[in-house]
Amino acid sequence: LWWRVEELARRIFRRHGYGEIRTPIFEASGLFERAVGEETDIVGKEMYTFLDRGGRSLTLRPESTAPACRAYVEHRLDRGPQPVRWYYIGPQFRYERPQKGRFRQLHQIGAERLGAGGPDADVEILLLLVDFLEALGFQDLEVRLNTVGDTASRAAYRDALVAYLRPLADRLGPDSQRRLERNPLRILDTKSPEEQQLLAGAPVLSDFLTAESRKHFELVCSTLQSFGIRFRREPKLVRGLDYYTHTVFEVIAAGLGAQDALCGGGAYAGLVEELGGPPTYGVGFAIGQDRLMEVLPACSPVRRDEDRKLVLCRLPAHEADEAALLVAANRLARQLRQQNWTVVLYAGRPERALEVADRLGATGVLFLGESELEEEQVRVRRLSNRSQEVVSWKQLEEFFGSWNP
Ligand code: HAM
């Protein structure tokens, strides 16, 4: 099932012009410190960091946006055609407290779009995300959308928020007190009702946006609206990584419990420059695949096995016939595989072969024993209605060519 989800992802991403990027599992620790931000939870307490034999500090990647941008800068991809469109599927590592929906080795399916763009890039990435989730069979996911503005508006807001909260600091919990100095925007995410009450009177980020940021966000929203994509504006959504500018979003899935974010993403207009490249607009998302598998709709097309599957059962025989049966079974299997059937060989009793076929979700079972060998034929059992017929080897191709699962 994991594999089928990934296969669908690759198909859809390719259709949107996204190609795969594979970055190393570990990077220099400084990359994440600079990109994700020293003050974030990820860098502050969740990284798997170690010294290698050369005394270098390395970190198992906690996310893949920074590695993608690092690759873009390192290989001077800004000199090639823009934008660069990438997707990735793979493990990430975060030292979090393990619980439902939260793993230390987590898996993400993500996409990043770098260079040449603005609101149009945000729209492209969001439509890609929605296309993929819809293709998986999701119908009523909630997209939460906000803008954090450009770097300057974000900094101005940060100052205003700290000025508002500092006199109230003794009424904040220990986590938020720590965040007040290090990463105050994260306090907006609080789950504590008392803190939410305190925040009710806090300055709001939208008041600090420049006219340009506002226009950017309105264009994203109105375009999504015209596609009938359901989303909710969430003025308090800030995300836990420092690199975001402009549009940020999360997709929430019911059924995930407390860790209900299925996907997170947004734009990062300053990240490539921060890593030593030219000013470059970037936007992307990452879906938590572990969580995705948990809430995959029961009716998802990827759950339905689109393969045409058969079990070919070689029945018990006298020693004298064994070699000839083995040859015949494999020859018929190869012939059917050329006709795009998946054929699983089984040797043993018919009842067991039927069990195997049921478990595989096969369409039918072919029985090949001594008498069939003699007559150059097989008995074919259709599993849906248990009907059985005899087909000669010569007619096998024709028979299965028109045999619908
Ligand atoms: P993130 O919000 O840190 O964003 O992670 C994205 C998704 O990964 C989450 O919504 C969640 O589904 C999943 N996830 C995160 N941590 C865990 C965990 N410990 N166990 C299971 N699942 C988890 C990023 O990683 C950004 N790089 C996304 C992005 C791409 N922004 C722009 N481009």
Side-chain angles (χ1 to χ4, degrees), residues 303-356:
R303 280 189 192 275
R304 231 182 298 132
D305 191 357
E306 288 165 22
D307 275 357
R308 299 156 13 118
K309 276 193 201 153
L310 298 170
V311 169
L312 199 157
C313 173
R314 188 155 48 85
L315 297 166
H318 293 108
E319 223 181 301
D321 284 333
E322 287 249 308
L325 261 179
L326 187 62
V327 170
N330 279 290
R331 202 180 46 230
L332 296 175
R334 291 177 87 181
Q335 194 184 328
L336 287 165
R337 287 181 191 128
Q338 269 167 10
Q339 285 179 261
N340 282 327
W341 285 92
T342 295
V343 183
V344 177
L345 290 175
Y346 179 80
R349 310 213 50 79
E351 307 78 53
R352 289 282 299 131
L354 289 170
E355 281 170 33
V356 169

Side-chain angles (χ1 to χ4, degrees), residues 114-162:
L114 289 157
D120 57 328
D122 300 0
V123 167
E124 176 180 310
I125 272 287
L126 281 158
L127 288 178
L128 168 62
L129 173 62
V130 168
D131 265 11
F132 174 52
L133 293 173
E134 282 181 355
L136 283 167
F138 287 103
Q139 282 169 344
D140 42 24
L141 290 171
E142 185 185 312
V143 181
R144 294 184 181 165
L145 209 58
N146 191 23
T147 176
V148 294
D150 54 26
T151 319
S153 0
R154 204 174 150 141
Y157 176 63
R158 184 191 150 114
D159 291 346
L161 186 65
V162 172

